[in-house]
Amino acid sequence: MRVLVVEDERRMAAALQRGLQAEGFAVDLAHDGEEGLHAARNGDYDVVVLDIMLPRLSGYNVCKQLRAEENWVPILMLSAKDGEYDMADGLDLGADDYLTKPFSYVVLVARLRALMRRDSGRRPSVLAAGDLALDPARRRVTRGEQAIELTPREFALLEYLLRRRDEVVSKSEILEHVWDTFDTDPNVVEVYVGYLRRKIDAPFGRNALQTVRGAGYRLAGDGG
């Protein structure tokens, strides 16, 4: 899913971006508070990772401003400050979670997924369409009792489609959420949809992943 990382330490930000992308997230970066606030206001993000000590506008103020505007995107604050009052300040301003540096990357990913599940009733711990199931935490996909091996990009695409099962999603929406860009050739979506069909549908004689001519794709909620 789409993550905004607001972090002024560029090496840290780049490392977070690479790591989260490897886990199947689409990641945008902002390097100061004002840039982060603008991105969070205008981007369709599933979660924001927000450093506290930022130039131009602190993470505290970014969080405070978003909540004042009734923007309820889940926010996980990152900070070198580990005092209980610093943590309490962040949570009182509307942050959903708080992690101190240095942190365990495994814990960060788990907390992000937990925030995304908590944010909406549409974010169960295991996503399913009929007997097709995807477990984001365990990185596991099954059709009935049979495990299905997917590449990270295929996994991210299936996760996005499952979160929007029975909805028609366009190639541009998929590019934005799964590839983190509008610049990639839209035909790459068609290629990966074909890859997925050969793994989740064809071996089982099913038709869950459907093409809606002129509009995009739909994953049938009954699993096809």
Side-chain angles (χ1 to χ4, degrees):
M1 298 292 99
R2 287 195 78 200
V3 178
L4 173 64
V5 174
V6 189
E7 168 62 67
D8 63 318
E9 296 181 23
R10 291 179 181 266
R11 290 178 62 184
M12 168 70 78
L16 284 169
Q17 184 177 46
R18 288 192 301 270
L20 292 174
Q21 286 174 339
E23 293 289 332
F25 295 95
V27 184
D28 291 337
L29 299 180
H31 297 297
D32 64 58
E34 288 188 2
E35 182 185 359
L37 178 60
H38 177 78
R41 281 170 168 165
N42 296 286
D44 181 19
Y45 294 104
D46 296 286
V47 65
V48 175
V49 178
L50 180 63
D51 189 31
I52 290 179
M53 303 299 290
L54 294 168
R56 301 178 72 185
L57 194 66
S58 74
Y60 288 135
N61 286 328
V62 171
C63 182
K64 182 178 180 180
Q65 186 63 40
L66 288 173
R67 297 310 188 228
E69 296 168 4
E70 299 189 353
N71 184 326
W72 306 113
V73 61
I75 294 174
L76 184 149
M77 281 190 160
L78 286 181
S79 179
K81 294 185 171 185
D82 60 358
E84 60 183 16
Y85 290 106
D86 297 309
M87 184 180 299
D89 286 343
L91 296 173
D92 284 345
L93 287 170
D96 299 277
D97 203 352
Y98 190 106
L99 202 55
T100 57
K101 302 175 184 177
F103 52 83
S104 161
Y105 185 75
V106 172
V107 171
L108 171 64
V109 171
R111 289 193 177 187
L112 290 179
R113 292 195 181 280
L115 283 179
M116 290 158 61
R117 290 195 301 270
R118 189 189 313 164
D119 177 49
S120 166
R122 295 174 59 189
R123 299 188 188 280
S125 58
V126 175
L127 305 169
D131 64 349
L132 177 65
L134 179 149
D135 185 334
R138 297 173 61 195
R139 309 295 293 174
R140 177 177 169 82
V141 175
T142 55
R143 171 73 91 165
E145 297 297 318
Q146 184 167 336
I148 301 172
E149 295 296 324
L150 299 181
T151 67
R153 189 73 71 184
E154 291 165 353
F155 189 95
L157 175 57
L158 179 59
E159 181 177 359
Y160 180 65
L161 293 171
L162 279 168
R163 292 194 187 280
R164 297 191 56 182
R165 58 192 175 274
D166 284 328
E167 297 180 24
V168 177
V169 292
S170 67
K171 287 183 178 179
S172 62
E173 288 178 291
I174 293 172
L175 283 175
E176 180 182 3
H177 285 266
V178 179
W179 271 265
D180 195 23
T181 181
F182 292 105
D183 297 331
T184 302
D185 185 345
N187 289 329
V188 74
V189 176
E190 187 174 335
V191 170
Y192 273 84
V193 165
Y195 292 160
L196 262 187
R197 282 179 174 144
R198 288 195 287 273
K199 293 184 177 182
I200 68 170
D201 279 343
F204 306 94
R206 310 294 280 277
N207 184 33
L209 186 42
Q210 304 164 356
T211 299
V212 181
R213 188 174 298 277
Y217 301 96
R218 176 176 55 224
L219 188 78
D222 62 2

